[in-house]
Amino acid sequence: MRRAIYPGTFDPITNGHLDIIERSTRVFDEVIIALLMNIEKKPMFSIQERVEMIQQVNRWKHVKVDTFQGLLVHYAVSQKAQVIVRGIRAVSDYEYELQMALMNRRLEPSLETVFMMSAEEYSHLSSSLIKEVFVLGGSITGLVPQVVEERMRSKLGR
Ligand code: COA
């Protein structure tokens, strides 16, 4: 049983994240999308809203949604996961990801970090960029699932 954790803030989940999840389901028996209850980032959506949106777009039987606090490696061990999945969008992601992967390995050598290259069409995406474009009136169609776009509309009263 190969269980992987796909961690992040997911504020909100984008088609880029879904692409990585789809790829992960082909490699692992079970994938847990783990939302960090992040005190540093000021989210647009509450943790409950983010979980709900992910549940609404989760079309895979072996993909679960969960939340965590504290160290990712502690959470991964508590879930009996062997792997952390991270998406790499561009060369600029590499340095930060390398740092995290090495620190996580030092903290918990039994855990492996697996990097997946995101699809080209999503390699420029980030949740913040999507929020910025949307708030300023630009189109985000095709970049996020429809339910997410609808939630963003109602949040801004559009
Ligand atoms: N498609 C689209 N966007 C993507 C993406 C993809 N494939 N992969 C990443 N992104 C976006 C995210 O939406 C995020 O956007 P934002 O900054 O605008 O919100 C941005 O890229 C950065 O994503 P990510 O690097 O995944 O940051 P994160 O904050 O979502 O998650 C954790 C980082 C949760 C993995 C990390 O902070 C963590 O593990 N924290 C727990 C504490 C801990 O263990 N610390 C020690 C680590 S060594």
Side-chain angles (χ1 to χ4, degrees):
M1 176 78 173
R2 291 265 135 206
R3 183 176 291 138
I5 306 281
Y6 181 44
T9 309
F10 302 106
D11 184 47
I13 190 157
T14 70
N15 286 346
H17 295 127
L18 288 173
D19 166 56
I20 299 292
I21 296 163
E22 163 81 41
R23 287 166 201 280
S24 306
T25 60
R26 296 189 210 133
V27 181
F28 304 106
D29 301 312
E30 191 177 291
V31 179
I32 302 175
I33 306 172
L35 279 83
L36 173 67
M37 300 198 222
N38 199 337
I39 34 173
E40 280 162 29
K41 288 192 178 179
K42 285 220 167 73
M44 175 183 248
F45 293 101
S46 71
I47 196 93
Q48 288 88 341
E49 289 174 310
R50 281 179 268 154
V51 167
E52 274 169 29
M53 283 188 278
I54 298 175
Q55 279 165 343
Q56 282 178 291
V57 296
N58 182 6
R59 54 181 187 269
W60 303 275
K61 241 201 295 183
H62 304 299
V63 176
K64 300 196 164 97
V65 190
D66 197 9
T67 59
F68 77 102
Q69 286 177 0
L71 279 181
L72 174 61
V73 292
H74 288 166
Y75 172 74
V77 168
S78 77
Q79 297 302 307
K80 299 186 172 54
Q82 303 88 355
V83 173
I84 294 167
V85 170
R86 297 289 293 162
I88 296 263
R89 292 164 295 173
V91 182
S92 50
D93 279 344
Y94 178 77
E95 212 160 320
Y96 171 61
E97 292 299 333
L98 177 70
Q99 253 185 348
M100 273 211 300
L102 292 179
M103 180 56 84
N104 283 335
R105 185 190 287 164
R106 187 189 162 95
L107 293 167
E108 184 49 60
S110 68
L111 266 175
E112 202 57 63
T113 301
V114 169
F115 295 109
M116 303 225 169
M117 302 300 147
S118 58
E120 233 176 311
E121 64 262 44
Y122 304 130
S123 61
H124 58 289
L125 284 192
S126 80
S127 299
S128 304
L129 196 60
I130 284 171
K131 284 181 282 190
E132 184 180 326
V133 167
F134 187 76
V135 167
L136 297 175
S139 169
I140 54 162
T141 302
L143 303 181
V144 292
Q146 210 180 328
V147 286
V148 171
E149 192 173 341
E150 282 160 14
R151 289 250 190 170
M152 288 176 80
R153 271 187 210 296
S154 65
K155 186 131 288 226
L156 295 189
R158 288 192 191 152

